DNA sequence: TCGTAGCTAATGCAAGCGCATCGAAAGGTT
DNA sequence: AACCTTTCGATGCGCTTGCATTAGCTACGA
């Protein structure tokens, strides 16, 4: 029988292809055939890794979320270390896959499985930001506000209403309050 | 020859159908056939009102934007009247077609014609909010921040991370600063 | 009445979609 | 070598899509 395939690795490879396509063409640009081509695997391989397109999209969104969490966690305090400075750039960086996130968020509005993944991710991000803002009078509320502001600014940057620098400046001013 | 058709009225009727479908099924649910059925007109009528699907979507987004501006303008001060109170509910109401806006925003990320419509709309909204926040130290910056916060909160409500009431409370607290 | 201009709805067309299927290939075991 | 299991890639299938096309209808003016 043929060499065993590293399914985890392949699934991630395919999820990365999904994100690249969503970034370039939006959600509608994510067809199985295009994903297979982008990931340099066959259609059959995509189908063997994911039973349905929805499974594939869910996994891709989970990957996006994992990466966002990983970046946010990189800003978390180490045990015994002083509370790190929360910066505008740092907050924006957790949405570095902005277009992809926006495409998924819009789809999540009409797809409960995707919405579920997003909610779980938001809950964890909220926890991380609450800890990062532990020196505020109400860290939870501050985290809620900061997350929303960051996402709103990200959307405005994506559509070209604001520049990245403007968005960062807004966050810095907000954090300075 | 047949009775002249009120094209403006029909275009708006079709745009409304687009928005209803986008609200229920996201952007992918907006096919010409479904729009025609939703608007209770034939495929031919849709095609006669809009040369391409892109035209139709652009017009629909303009309609969404016009409605948002109309709502925001309703909050604008009348000449000689005192500056009205900006409320959280008032700010959120300009995004009452939240899912539709989110779907269009995501698509605008990869569609320059839609992005252009959105930018123009944001610019006008920004102007309105700047005037509404004229009593702040920096009204422009305050408007930028408020718009972003509102959009971020709207997204979080749509995906179910926050409730409408939570979003409103965040805005009220922000406005009270 | 006839001709014309505007409007109509249904359908054709080519392309693409997600998912299922199938014969072939590959590697391990006996 | 033969057999079995796993993996493979190409393609079939039924359906949907945007846009083009066609034959027909209607109202108005000469």
């Amino acid at each position: 029988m043929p060499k065993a395939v590293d399914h985890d690795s392949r699934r991630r490879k395919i999820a990365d292809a999904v994100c690249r396509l969503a970034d370039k063409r939006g959600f509608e640009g994510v067809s199985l055939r295009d994903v297979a081509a982008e990931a340099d695997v066959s259609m059959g391989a995509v189908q063997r890794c994911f039973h349905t397109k929805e499974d594939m999209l869910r996994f891709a969104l989970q990957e996006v979320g994992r990466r966002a969490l990983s970046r946010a966690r990189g800003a978390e305090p180490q045990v015994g270390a002083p509370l790190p400075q929360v910066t505008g750039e740092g907050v924006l960086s957790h949405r570095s896959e902005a277009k992809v996130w926006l495409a998924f968020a819009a789809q999540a509005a009409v797809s409960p499985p995707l919405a579920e993944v997003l909610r779980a991710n938001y809950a964890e991000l909220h926890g991380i930001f609450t800890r990062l803002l532990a020196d505020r009078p109400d860290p939870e509320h501050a985290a809620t506000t900061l997350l929303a502001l960051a996402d709103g600014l990200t959307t405005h940057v994506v559509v070209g209403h604001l520049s990245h620098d403007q968005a960062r400046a807004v966050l810095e001013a907000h954090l300075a309050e």
Side-chain angles (χ1 to χ4, degrees), chain A residues 17-156:
Chain A
V18 167
C19 294
R20 287 199 295 277
L21 286 172
D23 186 69
K24 279 187 282 193
R25 312 199 205 147
F27 219 75
E28 288 191 319
V30 183
S31 70
L32 293 187
R33 286 174 175 86
D34 288 341
V35 169
E38 179 76 24
D40 199 31
V41 297
S42 69
M43 278 282 304
V46 173
Q47 293 167 330
R48 281 183 295 274
C49 283
F50 302 103
H51 296 305
T52 62
K53 185 179 179 180
E54 183 173 57
D55 281 348
M56 178 180 79
L57 295 176
R58 250 182 92 254
F59 184 81
L61 178 56
Q62 283 168 337
E63 280 292 290
V64 173
R66 273 191 278 269
R67 291 199 282 261
L69 285 177
S70 180
R71 286 190 294 270
R73 285 204 180 101
E76 279 209 285
Q78 305 300 318
V79 177
L83 208 56
Q85 189 80 313
V86 184
T87 67
E89 192 62 44
V91 173
L92 281 178
S93 71
H94 91 272
R95 277 291 176 240
S96 59
E97 302 180 72
K99 283 193 202 170
V100 182
W101 157 77
L102 189 56
F104 273 113
Q107 192 64 21
V110 293
S111 162
L114 290 183
E116 191 184 336
V117 174
L118 262 192
R119 280 197 293 276
N121 194 257
Y122 271 120
E124 290 214 45
L125 275 177
H126 186 263
I128 294 170
F129 276 89
T130 299
R131 291 191 286 279
L132 286 174
L133 300 171
D135 56 347
R136 305 268 164 152
D138 185 349
E140 273 215 53
H141 171 86
T144 302
T145 306
L146 191 59
L147 261 186
L149 185 58
D151 284 355
L153 289 169
T154 299
T155 303
H156 290 190

